[in-house]
């Protein structure tokens, strides 16, 4: 049996432990080819890949490849964040992962609702 996760982008980011996404609407397209509506307030606020906020402003055809986020990368970033003292001001050094993910539903099975 496969489970899927649906929700607005801000809620999904929180469920997966990522800070920096806001409920404000803005159309951006990350390298995983997902068109999402959100406002990026953190350096690494994309739920689907490790792109940084400054690269989101560059046309997709001109960007380099960024690695996809997975449950494993989220766990590793969170582990590094907690080992470094869980300082929220340094969240960007850990891809903005500031809490553990709530569900073991792979990110590839997540769909934001616009």
């Amino acid at each position: 049996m496969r489970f899927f996760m649906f929700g607005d982008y801000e809620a999904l980011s929180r469920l997966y432990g990522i800070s920096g996404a806001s409920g404000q609407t803005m159309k951006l397209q990350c390298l995983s080819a997902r068109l999402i509506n959100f406002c990026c307030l953190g350096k690494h606020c994309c739920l689907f890949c490790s792109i940084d906020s400054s690269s989101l402003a560059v046309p997709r055809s001109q960007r380099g490849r960024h690695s996809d986020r997975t449950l494993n990368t989220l766990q590793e970033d969170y582990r590094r964040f907690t080992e470094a003292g869980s300082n929220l001001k340094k969240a960007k050094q850990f891809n903005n992962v500031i809490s553990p993910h709530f569900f073991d539903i792979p990110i590839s099975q997540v769909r934001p609702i616009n």
Side-chain angles (χ1 to χ4, degrees):
M1 185 180 315
R2 291 177 69 186
F3 290 96
F4 290 84
M5 179 71 68
F6 296 91
D8 68 54
Y9 197 77
E10 184 176 4
L12 289 171
S13 294
R14 289 176 190 241
L15 289 172
Y16 281 88
I18 299 169
S19 69
S22 165
Q24 301 170 20
T25 302
M26 188 172 180
K27 285 190 187 238
L28 297 170
Q29 190 168 26
C30 76
L31 283 173
S32 0
R34 289 178 172 88
L35 184 62
I36 47 183
N37 293 318
F38 73 102
C39 182
C40 185
L41 300 176
K43 183 166 174 79
H44 300 277
C45 57
C46 181
L47 173 60
F48 303 101
C49 69
S50 63
I51 192 168
D52 61 57
S53 56
S54 62
S55 295
L56 281 170
V58 175
R60 189 167 169 247
S61 61
Q62 298 174 13
R63 299 181 204 155
R65 178 78 179 132
H66 294 84
S67 59
D68 290 338
R69 287 197 199 245
T70 65
L71 295 178
N72 290 335
T73 63
L74 291 174
Q75 287 174 327
E76 177 61 20
D77 288 336
Y78 178 65
R79 182 192 62 75
R80 292 184 313 109
F81 177 70
T82 56
E83 287 177 358
S86 301
N87 184 342
L88 291 175
K89 292 181 181 180
K90 295 183 179 180
K92 65 183 176 185
Q93 296 173 7
F94 309 99
N95 295 314
N96 283 82
V97 179
I98 60 167
S99 63
H101 56 85
F102 285 93
F103 302 100
D104 285 332
I105 298 173
I107 296 173
S108 60
Q109 294 170 211
V110 171
R111 298 295 178 258
I113 298 172
N114 294 331

